[in-house]
Amino acid sequence: MQIVLVIFSISLASIYLGMQIYQRLIKKDAKCDACAMGKTNER
Amino acid sequence: MKVGLVGNPNTGKSSIFNLLTGLRQQVGNFPGITVERKVGSFSADSKDFKLIDFPGTYSIFPRSKDEKVVYDVLSNPEHSEFPDVCIVVVDASNLERNLLLFSQVYDLQVPLIMALNMTDVARKNKKEIQREALQKMFPSAQIIETNARAGLGKDRLIEAILNSKERKDPDYFLGPIPEEGINDALIQEAEASARYEKIQKLIDKVLVRKLESEEITISKWDRILVHPLWGYFIFAAILMVVFQFIFSFATLPMDIIDGAFVKLGSWLQEVLPTGVFTDLLSQGIVPGIGGVLVFIPQIAFLFFFIAILEESGYLARVVFIMDRLMRPLGLNGKSVVPLLSSVACAIPGVMATRTISDWKERMITILVAPLMSCSARIPVYTILISLVIPDHYVFGVLNVQGLVLFGLYALGLVSALLVALILKKLIKSKDKGFLLMELPQYQRPKWGNVGLTVWEKVRVFVWDAGKIILALSVILWALASYGPGNEMEKAVKIVEHQFENNTNLDQEEKENQIASVKLENSYMGILGKTIEPVIAPLGYDWKIGISLISSFAAREVFVGSLATIYAVHADDNEKLLDRLSQEKRSDGSLVYNLASGTSLMVFYVYAMQCMATFAIVKRETKSWRWPLFQMAFMGILAYLGAFITYQILS
């Protein structure tokens, strides 16, 4: 059970970091509503 | 229903925003651009309203990225943020200047409410406004009096919002805003002159001036506070007091937070069944959350003082006096606030550069802001100073460790200014920067506004930076806990075999040894060994190398990584210090001596060990080129600085 939880946590952290890298550094066109530092679309 | 909030800077716009929305507010960006947008909500008469706070501007013709958004939105009814009604906050004590923007927005045919704010200040200055005469000149607008700082005028504002109607027949104060004027300085000048001429005639009718005693008092204060010599001394003294307060007052709550998370980690280890997830919780997630929350007191204190200085009207004076000093270095008076903010964290610092209208000055400020020592460097500096700098006093009162800490901050500041000077020569720009600003009236800070500023800054730090640090803590824990093949198991068996043959060593020592060899054979250990040849000339071994890599995402991870590597509980500083001070190389010399410790401190002064800053610079500059350039020059400075320091001191 503990192993499953660890795998879940690591996967969640990896996906979150991957999404952050994609949104902050790569994605060009995103809607931005009530975000503080991320999710911008740049012209 | 959308309500826009527009006005000159320092007119009490934020107070009106807070008055209407209370705590129901969020910070974001305007769609399509990286201009900060504050949105709040409120309800009245069973209707929900969305209040959009636009950046402060003196004119509809923009001088900066922030200001351009006001024209872009208000001139385009198809824009997603176009308000159904717009409140223009007007400073009654400075009516002539404020009417320029108001009359321009009026001529855009937006349904309009004039919030005649700060009438108390106007009265103090012996100025009386004839509201009826003003209303005659702007028949399509509703004009109401507010005193947002005293919390007055909310009902009148809501009533005006509920009564607002679409303007069907065009009604101009001067005439339509010339679209071509947005990019043409000559048209802007002609338009502003014509407008001011008409405003002047209006002012003669609506403004009754009595006495000027308050102005005389203000100029007396400014004679000292913006004095070419005393102004700087007073600012330096205020800064010194602020930093003393931050460090003195923040220590206690930081220790409490730190201690609470240590206890929580130990408690989880005791109550939960033994296993990998318990390890992840107690060694990865809980210290990860603690590592974020421990910085709240310092960030809160810093922004508390900055908000007080801003609210009182003093910060505008600082910008004014610093402009003289900053300009020869390629910076601008407005660079002071971003650089000051960077002492807490480079992220709000970089974001604060949006108010700098000149592209070159803004770019230089962004590039040098991370050289200011941020709060994340404090744990790194603290542990290294405790390790290699003797706890002695000079002249009986000055602590050497404290002096070294001051020296590291000074090194960051001086380096930032020198790099700015170099960048001024390197970056080419045709534009010539200028500083146009108004010195606001001195006022008592409004504590509600100060509190909201602190809350907003802390919330952004904890929520945005915190999520990334937490996720990274999980990944780092995994990289330090697992390795390729069965290398870790083999290494553990060797240690166990050694302990079986040597009965003099205790169980704790055995556990520490096992943790060390496991780490050495983990993915992270392999990484550290790989980079060891590169960092050896700086005086670092592979274990320091691992901490350098893991702290690339966030500097404060360095101490936690060292604690894990040396197999001592992460938050037991005493034990960690003991262990680090005894750590030896294969030739018997100490790993952490004056040379390697100082070299590490210098490395951290310069290195851009912060993924979040990298991301924010990429976003603000809209290119990969600038953050990569920044990372490269800061990396080179860090390596060379650390190399020279180590070679001189060793």
Side-chain angles (χ1 to χ4, degrees), chain B residues 53-318:
Chain B
D53 188 9
F54 286 82
T57 180
Y58 292 104
S59 158
I60 204 80
F61 297 119
R63 283 177 297 107
S64 71
K65 199 171 145 188
D66 274 33
E67 293 176 4
K68 192 171 181 298
V69 76
V70 180
Y71 177 79
D72 286 348
V73 175
L74 297 185
S75 65
N76 178 13
E78 304 302 316
H79 197 287
S80 61
E81 300 293 298
F82 186 80
D84 298 296
V85 58
C86 192
I87 301 169
V88 180
V89 185
V90 167
D91 174 3
S93 66
N94 209 335
L95 195 62
E96 187 179 349
R97 179 177 47 71
N98 279 249
L99 281 180
L100 176 72
L101 176 69
F102 179 81
S103 67
Q104 286 175 326
V105 179
Y106 187 85
D107 286 352
L108 284 172
Q109 306 303 309
V110 182
L112 213 54
I113 298 166
M114 178 196 284
L116 201 55
N117 202 30
M118 299 166 89
T119 43
D120 54 333
V121 181
R123 281 190 197 106
K124 263 192 202 170
N125 291 355
K126 310 293 176 193
K127 290 175 185 171
E128 199 67 52
I129 291 162
Q130 308 288 319
R131 199 156 59 91
E132 293 73 20
L134 199 58
Q135 182 73 71
K136 271 186 195 166
M137 294 305 291
F138 300 103
S140 301
Q142 301 182 68
I143 300 175
I144 54 157
E145 274 189 37
T146 57
N147 185 349
R149 289 172 58 80
L152 302 173
K154 185 180 177 182
D155 293 344
R156 283 194 291 270
L157 266 176
I158 289 175
E159 197 185 326
I161 292 166
L162 290 168
N163 291 336
S164 64
K165 286 178 191 130
E166 202 180 326
R167 286 167 67 180
K168 284 181 183 153
D169 303 319
D171 165 29
Y172 297 101
F173 174 77
L174 184 73
I177 300 291
E179 261 182 61
E180 61 280 14
I182 292 303
N183 298 313
D184 190 325
L186 286 174
I187 296 176
Q188 289 179 16
E189 204 179 308
E191 210 266 357
S193 299
R195 221 167 258 280
Y196 267 127
E197 204 175 306
K198 198 164 179 190
I199 288 169
Q200 192 53 56
K201 283 179 191 160
L202 173 65
I203 289 289
D204 295 339
K205 287 180 196 164
V206 301
L207 194 67
V208 180
R209 270 171 96 83
K210 289 175 184 168
L211 256 174
E212 295 183 345
S213 59
E214 186 72 13
E215 285 174 18
I216 295 163
T217 322
I218 288 167
S219 63
K220 263 184 191 170
W221 275 101
D222 277 341
R223 245 177 257 159
I224 308 164
L225 294 175
V226 299
H227 188 272
L229 183 68
W230 299 118
Y232 296 108
F233 276 110
I234 292 167
F235 178 50
I238 289 174
L239 267 192
M240 210 179 283
V241 171
V242 166
F243 278 102
Q244 285 298 321
F245 268 88
I246 290 170
F247 289 113
S248 316
F249 288 159
T251 312
L252 181 67
M254 283 177 88
D255 286 346
I256 292 171
I257 296 169
D258 202 14
F261 277 89
V262 172
K263 280 184 186 158
L264 180 63
S266 311
W267 180 75
L268 286 173
Q269 194 86 51
E270 280 169 25
V271 296
L272 292 177
T274 311
V276 279
F277 186 68
T278 305
D279 289 346
L280 171 62
L281 268 181
S282 60
Q283 295 165 14
I285 293 174
V286 170
I289 297 170
V292 176
L293 299 188
V294 79
F295 292 109
I296 288 177
Q298 277 181 338
I299 288 171
F301 275 122
L302 183 76
F303 281 103
F304 173 75
F305 287 116
I306 289 180
I308 287 178
L309 295 180
E310 192 171 9
E311 281 269 312
S312 65
Y314 178 66
L315 212 55
R317 270 84 184 166
V318 172

Side-chain angles (χ1 to χ4, degrees), chain A residues 1-3 5-6 9-14 16-17 20-21 24-28 30 32-43, chain B residues 26-29 31-34 37 273 275-278 280 347 351 460 464 467-468 471-472 474-475 477-478 614-615 618-619 622 624:
Chain A
M1 183 59 188
Q2 292 226 359
I3 289 281
L5 286 170
V6 165
S9 304
I10 294 171
S11 308
L12 200 66
S14 308
Y16 178 72
L17 283 177
Q20 285 295 313
I21 291 168
R24 289 177 185 227
L25 302 178
I26 299 164
K27 198 176 183 185
K28 290 273 179 197
C32 175
D33 190 29
C35 53
M37 293 202 292
K39 298 184 198 166
T40 62
N41 64 350
E42 321 228 74
R43 277 199 289 227
Chain B
Q26 288 175 309
V27 177
N29 288 311
I33 37 171
T34 54
R37 179 189 71 160
V276 279
F277 186 68
T278 305
L280 171 62
I347 295 164
M351 286 165 81
V460 167
D464 291 289
K467 283 187 288 188
I468 291 176
L472 272 168
V474 174
I475 303 294
W477 174 87
F614 182 89
K618 191 261 165 186
R619 206 189 73 179
K622 291 184 186 172
W624 287 95

Side-chain angles (χ1 to χ4, degrees), chain B residues 452-513:
Chain B
L452 279 172
T453 303
V454 172
W455 162 252
E456 195 50 46
K457 299 293 179 192
V458 169
R459 194 187 64 80
V460 167
F461 172 74
V462 171
W463 195 241
D464 291 289
K467 283 187 288 188
I468 291 176
I469 294 172
L470 180 62
L472 272 168
S473 303
V474 174
I475 303 294
L476 287 177
W477 174 87
L479 288 175
S481 303
Y482 299 98
N486 58 351
E487 291 301 313
M488 285 171 98
E489 286 77 14
K490 277 186 197 167
V492 171
K493 275 183 186 159
I494 292 168
V495 174
E496 281 173 342
H497 183 68
Q498 284 170 352
F499 271 80
E500 277 165 20
N501 296 337
N502 190 346
T503 48
N504 292 333
L505 298 171
D506 62 16
Q507 186 61 25
E508 195 186 341
E509 187 65 23
K510 182 182 169 185
E511 281 170 12
N512 287 346
Q513 280 286 334

Side-chain angles (χ1 to χ4, degrees), chain B residues 549-608:
Chain B
I549 293 171
S550 60
S551 66
F552 169 75
R555 297 175 180 96
E556 57 271 39
V557 176
F558 178 78
V559 179
S561 300
L562 277 184
T564 313
I565 292 160
Y566 288 102
V568 180
H569 195 285
D571 296 286
D572 191 341
N573 259 4
E574 276 309 307
K575 266 194 153 182
L576 177 63
L577 274 177
D578 288 347
R579 194 63 184 255
L580 293 177
S581 61
Q582 290 158 22
E583 185 70 13
K584 289 183 179 158
R585 298 173 202 273
S586 49
D587 63 2
S589 63
L590 286 172
V591 172
Y592 294 94
N593 50 35
L594 182 67
S596 63
T598 315
S599 158
L600 254 178
M601 286 185 247
V602 171
F603 185 89
Y604 272 94
V605 167
Y606 292 119
M608 190 166 153

